Amino acid sequence: MLQEKAGNIAGLIWHALDENNGQTYKQIRKSTKLAEKDFNLGLGWLLREDKVSVSESGDEKDPYIYSLK
């Protein structure tokens, strides 16, 4: 059950990045309107599946940029 939920959330995040690739954590959360714990679950899924790459943004408050591979 939790795996299905994680997959569905990962899909929402993937679609948000597909529409506008190269977003920060805050930007993706704002566009998906997901709760933090759900967002982290989906993002972890995408990272584990090697679907997303991470780079540094240079902003201390939102230090990473996520992009689709």
Side-chain angles (χ1 to χ4, degrees):
M1 184 80 155
L2 188 57
Q3 287 180 325
E4 185 177 331
K5 180 179 180 179
N8 290 334
I9 294 168
L12 293 173
I13 296 169
W14 191 92
H15 286 293
L17 287 171
D18 189 43
E19 289 179 13
N20 188 13
N21 206 15
Q23 296 185 63
T24 65
Y25 182 94
K26 290 178 184 177
Q27 290 169 328
I28 303 167
R29 278 211 47 221
K30 184 177 180 181
S31 67
T32 59
K33 299 179 181 147
L34 290 166
E36 187 172 12
K37 70 178 187 163
D38 290 338
F39 180 82
N40 290 335
L41 180 66
L43 183 59
W45 178 284
L46 290 170
L47 290 167
R48 175 82 166 93
E49 294 293 317
D50 201 31
K51 303 291 184 187
V52 174
S53 62
V54 183
S55 59
E56 292 186 28
S57 70
D59 181 354
E60 287 183 25
K61 293 183 181 180
D62 206 0
Y64 303 111
I65 296 175
Y66 300 92
S67 303
L68 296 177
K69 286 190 170 180

